[in-house]
Amino acid sequence: MNDDPKDIAEQRFRMIYAPWEKTFSHMLTPFERFVKHQATGGLILLFTAAVALILANGAFSEGYQHLLHTTVGLNIDQWSFNKTLHHWVNDGLMTLFFFVVGLELKREILVGELASPRLAALPIIAAIGGMVCPAVIYFLVNPSGDAIRGWGIPMATDIAFSLGVIALLAGRVPKTLITFLVALAIVDDLGAVVVIALFYTEQLVWQFLLLGALITGFMLLLNLIGVRQPFGYFVLGTLLWLALLKSGVHATLAGVITAFTIPALPRFDPSSFGIKMRELLDQYDSSFKPGESILQNQRLITVVQTIEKGVKGVATPLQRLEYTLHAPVAFFVLPVFALFNAGIQIEFSDIFTAISRPVTLGVIFGLLIGKFVGIAGFTWIAVKLDWVILPRGVQMAHIFGAAMLGSIGFTMSIFIAELAFVNHPEMIEQAKLGILFASLFAGIAGYLWLHRVGSPTKKSDLNAELN
């Protein structure tokens, strides 16, 4: 007898499948969806970054640069709001990415790996090490001048790329290693958000900053009075984005702030949901007439609409938005960001000179050495001091591999590079070269190491997680 919940679900529902639909119809937990989206998104991100590099260094280089600097905006009488496509992607589209980051952070803090001090201790300690050590190493390589502003670049871990590599190792690493890596990367994202807010902010315009605080207060008020429809939060979040854009604080932080105001309480009590749904299903059965179109049966339509309302009401707005937005961010927002930011011009004939520049070396050493020493070293010390214990099935050899994957710093690192060297485009290019080189090396090294220390199983938890 097959007791697989996915198979049981398919037996209970007589479903009609398109040719490829069944492959994507499995019932997944929120964590499984997160891992699958991030892993697949990482592979798409890698492909898009490669396309950007080809465009920037091939026959289409001039057209690619023209695309980046094409101005798009809105003009009404004397008022105008114009930005290049590159800025719209980095300041506008990436706000959606930061919104999803904020949703993930809030969920993890409320009910996830960061909700329990015992569970949160290990990834938090590892993440702190993985942020402090890279910044210190970068500072040692670039202790003065304009280059010093890039100290925050090697602090970030790219969760999509990291999980994309883990996906290739299905069957060879414990499932708990994924949980550790995800929690570490989420804490890492929180650290990056704080660094951006505190250290990469332009001169503050207090009037707009106070306006932003007032808008945030309105969103919190909506939460307190029980408004659960996302529309109001998106309207106010857009106004907050405009206020922060004018305030000097980077506008994408509006995404994180808005996410933290999204309600995390359902409208309907989950304990009574099953009873109410069974009553409605009885009404559905009694109203159903074989052979009659549902369009002709008003009673049936009413029951179905009530069920739909109940299903939406038993899930929190936080859950619904995170579920809805994960795929667009992983498969559209981040690839577009990579397309517009990973295309750096590389003189391959003089590659060693390019890599030897201080900013590039600081980023490379910060990511490859700083991240590894910080994550693995802080974890080892914490375990030796009995502050934490390693997750079930995870050994220090696995942590070394996770530390290598933690050295992949693509999306957030490039984003911080754009902020750090906003008036120094040549340093942005140098930082991006370091990010790409270090991330490629870290991904390959992490894969080879975990493949070597991992042991294949017939049916691993990770394989089930990613299929």
Side-chain angles (χ1 to χ4, degrees), residues 201 204-216 240 243-244 246-250 257:
T201 292
L204 294 176
V205 181
W206 288 102
Q207 299 93 318
F208 286 103
L209 203 59
L210 291 173
L211 177 61
L214 183 63
I215 295 170
T216 302
L240 177 62
L244 293 188
K246 296 292 186 179
S247 73
V249 176
H250 201 270
I257 296 170

Side-chain angles (χ1 to χ4, degrees), residues 220-243:
L220 291 172
L221 181 63
L222 290 183
N223 192 315
L224 291 174
I225 64 177
V227 175
R228 292 177 174 84
Q229 290 297 324
F231 180 74
Y233 295 94
F234 278 119
V235 171
L236 290 173
T238 302
L239 294 177
L240 177 62
W241 181 83
L242 290 169

